[in-house]
Amino acid sequence: MAGQKVILVGVDGSAEANMAVDWAAAHAKRDGSLVHVICTYALASYSAAALDGGYAALDDEALQKGAQKAVDDALDRLRGHGLTDITGSTEPGDAAGVLVQLSSEVDMIVVGSRGGGGFADRVLGTVSSALPAHAKCPVVVVPRHVSGSPFWPVKRIVAGVDGSRPAHSALEMAVEEALIWGAQVDAISAVPIATGAGMLSWVPTTIDREALYKEMEAELEEACEEVVAGRDVVVKRHVIDGSPAELLTEFSTAVDLVVVGARGRGGFAGLLLGSTSQVVLAHSTCPVMTVPSQRANEAPNPAAAWDRR
């Protein structure tokens, strides 16, 4: 058990949460992670009732039972994928707050892009920046699957790079994921011709664009060489005109995973702190992973801690 990674999956009983469970299962089968599923319940919650289309208050016991059913169903789903190294729990409190708190104890968090008023709705709602901005581990948001092949196995990954430390961490994570899945990585930097709202506002209008291209190409080349460091993974490098949100959304139609940093200098990584993040998470057709600048997991054996839950 020593050194085993832990994937935490937020569930709420919805079909979208099931997609997150399936993605986590596929990942765990690749790297041997323990998968822990969790469902929160708010003590002062209200839930839609079938009575006259109104709302009915649920007592704490009913809320906890509903959360436990969501966990039990998710565990059954993981067993259906052939996994046995799995655990589950319920937790009172706000979903995003619970996830952020637990993010220092696990190696990855996976949630669905929409749900039954649970994890992902919180993440994509009024506190949309809370989880990607404050989590201490990578966070994967799995979108609704409509048709075609599933989101796994991951064969192609795109990483947004802007020269910042968080973006460098994202590139490192993209390479790690590529090694786990046997995937190819496309590392891209955005250089929009125009500036202003939705563009890279940190780029002065008087800057020499050709010089900027050369500088970003050199930075991207250096970052890729440092991250790859002789490992057996293919990383293609691209410096492209366009806004970060539009490029990431466009790439999501052709890749299996988009990886970005949780913060940046106004480019790809910075998008997750503003309205652009809503565009990417709402419209990406593949899972999106956000990576903090420092993936600090101080627990010497996190899996052992989860065994005690």
Side-chain angles (χ1 to χ4, degrees):
M1 186 70 73
Q4 184 180 25
K5 294 182 179 180
V6 179
I7 299 175
L8 176 62
V9 187
V11 300
D12 60 9
S14 67
E16 290 76 15
N18 287 340
M19 290 301 302
V21 171
D22 291 344
W23 194 92
H27 196 288
K29 291 176 76 172
R30 288 276 180 168
D31 71 351
S33 291
L34 179 151
V35 179
H36 184 91
V37 295
I38 188 169
C39 183
T40 65
Y41 57 99
L43 297 180
S45 285
Y46 286 81
S47 178
L51 299 175
D52 301 323
Y55 288 83
L58 294 179
D59 60 32
D60 296 353
E61 184 178 357
L63 288 169
Q64 198 279 333
K65 286 183 178 179
Q68 187 61 54
K69 184 179 186 307
V71 169
D72 292 341
D73 289 345
L75 291 174
D76 285 341
R77 195 174 187 90
L78 289 172
R79 294 185 187 98
H81 284 284
L83 295 183
T84 57
D85 210 356
I86 57 177
T87 56
S89 66
T90 62
E91 196 84 33
D94 174 81
V98 170
L99 280 174
V100 170
Q101 182 179 9
L102 295 178
S103 67
S104 63
E105 302 178 28
V106 301
D107 297 277
M108 181 184 296
I109 296 175
V110 184
V111 295
S113 63
R114 292 289 190 276
F119 281 92
D121 283 350
R122 288 283 190 175
V123 173
L124 298 179
T126 58
V127 292
S128 61
S129 64
L131 186 56
H134 300 293
K136 300 299 189 295
C137 70
V139 176
V140 178
V141 179
V142 183
R144 179 178 300 179
H145 184 257
V146 179
S147 61
S149 301
F151 299 127
W152 60 86
V154 175
K155 298 179 180 179
R156 189 176 176 190
I157 300 169
V158 62
V161 182
D162 65 4
S164 67
R165 178 61 217 176
H168 190 83
S169 295
L171 182 57
E172 290 176 339
M173 190 65 189
V175 169
E176 290 179 18
E177 287 295 303
L179 291 170
I180 290 172
W181 294 98
Q184 169 190 306
V185 177
D186 287 89
I188 58 176
S189 294
V191 184
I193 294 299
T195 57
M199 296 297 190
L200 299 183
S201 57
W202 57 271
V203 180
T205 56
T206 57
I207 198 168
D208 184 332
R209 294 281 167 171
E210 184 176 352
L212 177 61
Y213 268 105
K214 290 182 179 180
E215 179 183 348
M216 294 188 73
E217 286 174 348
E219 286 184 349
L220 185 59
E221 184 70 20
E222 181 180 357
C224 290
E225 290 298 325
E226 179 182 342
V227 170
V228 173
R231 291 186 287 184
D232 186 18
V233 60
V234 176
V235 179
K236 295 186 176 181
R237 303 95 192 257
H238 314 273
V239 177
I240 308 174
D241 289 330
S243 74
E246 291 175 355
L247 285 172
L248 287 174
T249 300
E250 183 177 353
F251 265 87
S252 75
T253 64
V255 302
D256 305 297
L257 180 66
V258 174
V259 184
V260 291
R263 290 181 177 81
R265 67 183 189 188
F268 280 100
L271 67 84
L272 288 175
L273 297 180
S275 60
T276 309
S277 62
Q278 298 297 328
V279 177
V280 175
L281 291 173
H283 298 290
S284 176
T285 60
C286 76
V288 177
M289 175 186 288
T290 63
V291 183
S293 58
Q294 294 183 343
R295 291 180 284 139
N297 192 328
E298 298 179 356
N301 186 1
W306 287 95
D307 278 348
R308 293 193 295 271
R309 281 183 171 270

